[in-house]
Amino acid sequence: MSLTSDQMELREEDIRKHYDAAAQMLAGFDHTPRIAKGKDVAPAAERSSGIGTRRRFRSTTPGLVTRSTARPEGVHLVERIEGAGVEDPLVSPVQANVLHGLRRALAIALAVGETFSEAAGLADLKRDNLAGSLSADKKTAFSELLAAEALAASYVFANTTSFLLAPHLAETQVEVGEVEEILTDNAQLALHGALWELDQDIAVLVSSEDRLVACACAFAEQLMEKLALRAQNAPRLEAFVGARWKVEADDLTIDGFTPARAAKSSTLAMSFKKPNEVVGNHIAKYQAMKLAKMLMAYDFERRMNPFAEMGGFIFTFMGDGAPGTGKTTLIQMMAGMIHDYCQMAGYAFRYQNFGIDNIDSYQGKSGQNAKSFVANVLDPQVIGFGTIDDIDQIAGKRGDRQSSAGQQEVTAVFMEAFAGANTVVRGNCTFGMFSNYPENVDDALRQRAGARFLVDGPQTREDYIDILALLMGKNHDIALGDHDLFEAQAIQTAVTASFESHNRPHEEGLLKVFEHVHGQVGDLDTIAKMGTYLKAIQEVDPRFTGRAIKNITDAVKVRAMDFELPDEWMEQPDLFLTKDYDTKKAMIAELRVPITTEMVVQEINRYADSEFRYADKSDEAAIEAMVRDMGRTEAAKQRYLKGKT
């Protein structure tokens, strides 16, 4: 992949010149832990002497000693890794991959540290300090720049380690806990602290070879997270966070304290569905089909999607409906469409689902799982689709005593990721939240869903005939009868009818508000009249806040893009997908339609209907629960009194 305009090349010769220093670090060094407490581990076992099948690195540092609470510890990562869980005197492919990955990561970290040092003026201060001519007024800047270099080099080491070893990960998982030995005196000491703690984790947690890569990657992820938090308040990091380096040999992009992800597709083990196999759910199906094509407009060079810039891109949406109405089928259809489009275009597609099994009893782990899920889908090098099925069971309501700590962690992560201060919508991915009981989702999290897909399943006689014929298959001789199969599923006709049905609200509570306002101001044909309607809704439902208005206007912008990108644009990438960003933006602009008052009113009603529906269900569920409790109390009283007589 070629360099983009905002990238600098990190030259291979500048990396390889640090290989010897990196190899020496892995071979052995002294380190006395300053912050972390050393675990009770045995020294790294030396391999049998006389095995001359490979080059062995030996430390040139004299006086290396084994673990002691009073003296430095000798860290020998080469020997630790070579002895990890196996008795074979030869280095295994897994061990070799880890060692090569660590050496490469250290060399890249040292190269970036050197580049940062030159760019930030630290190199000159180092020379002055070495010569004893560093003036007193520069000592503070010198210390701050050393700390900045330490943070940058450590993060690049962890980031590159995770990136290079990720392709070797299997299903095995290892919990390493929090990284503690974060040192910022200088870059070398920082790397020594990181390698010392990695050595400790491997010694304690790697009982078999299949855990080695998992341990190294888990450690790297924890180290990255800790360093990124530390960097938020650290000074003099501009030369690092303001630059982007590309390592061509590894296809690695170093972008400040942003994790690099290998641009590889997910291996999908799901049964894809075609649009005609989704019966009913016309608006949800139509918007899902549009969104699948919108994602394909993403420009990997510019790292932006014209739809996200022009308005009309759906970053988050919620699909709700009763059990069995087709939410899973909708996911299968959308994932299948994006997968097929990406294969035709040669793009990496990553699908990931966050399920109930990601909620962990280990404190903080659920939040980490949620962060990892979000980061994987957000990766700007891929087209991403993330789903959260049964979100009412996964994300807990704040203040709900029945929600576990893990569920509360997940809620906090999703709220920040979907509409937080640092949320950047590039247009390369979308998140879908699905629930049978959306009224049980935290109000603030639910309102972060920019679009609402009502998944209500088959509704008409024609829908039920179509779904019966579809599910019956072809292994029968029963006549179809007087019916045009799937004609009712003709998407444009059905969608037009569905949108027009929202000229008036569907929910009884909202209909009363609508009729009251309509009786006062007449047709809602001006912004002032629509604002009056919105205020009237807010007076009835205080949860109808400014975020609701934003979601409605976003939905209106989506309607302005009320067109499907032509199928041939997907099937023949040269017609659209491979064109430059500005050309794609101009082609989309030509298809855009004007916004009408009908669109705005329909979207207000669609969104408000969903909120009233959730509120009614929530209130009804609470009332039913109270009635059951009162009935139990009354029955208990009668049984108690009967027993007394």
Side-chain angles (χ1 to χ4, degrees), residues 266 268 350-354 372-373 376-377 385-388:
S266 304
L268 298 182
R350 186 173 298 158
Y351 169 77
Q352 193 163 346
N353 181 65
F354 191 88
S372 177
F373 161 73
N376 285 336
V377 177
F385 180 30
T387 56
I388 310 162

Side-chain angles (χ1 to χ4, degrees), residues 182 264 380 585:
I182 305 291
K264 59 179 183 178
K585 183 177 176 182

Side-chain angles (χ1 to χ4, degrees), residues 116 145-155 183-187 190-191 227:
F116 168 85
L145 282 168
L146 283 174
E149 182 191 27
L151 288 170
S154 300
Y155 190 87
L183 306 176
T184 57
D185 299 57
N186 56 66
L191 292 172
L227 290 167

Side-chain angles (χ1 to χ4, degrees), residues 6-8 112 115-116 119 237-246 253-258:
D6 61 341
Q7 289 179 338
M8 298 182 294
V112 170
T115 304
F116 168 85
L237 280 164
E238 294 82 5
F240 176 64
V241 298
R244 296 178 71 225
W245 290 275
K246 183 65 179 291
T253 299
I254 298 169
D255 185 8
F257 292 92
T258 302

Side-chain angles (χ1 to χ4, degrees), residues 74-137:
V75 180
H76 304 268
L77 259 172
V78 172
E79 293 173 3
R80 179 75 71 193
I81 291 170
E82 289 178 351
V86 294
E87 297 297 331
D88 195 327
L90 298 179
V91 177
S92 72
V94 172
Q95 293 167 340
N97 285 330
V98 173
L99 284 171
H100 279 274
L102 290 174
R103 184 183 67 167
R104 179 80 175 169
L106 284 169
I108 291 174
L110 292 170
V112 170
E114 185 176 66
T115 304
F116 168 85
S117 182
E118 292 290 345
L122 176 59
D124 294 334
L125 296 178
K126 285 180 178 179
R127 285 188 284 269
D128 290 345
N129 184 64
L130 189 62
S133 58
L134 183 67
S135 58
D137 61 332

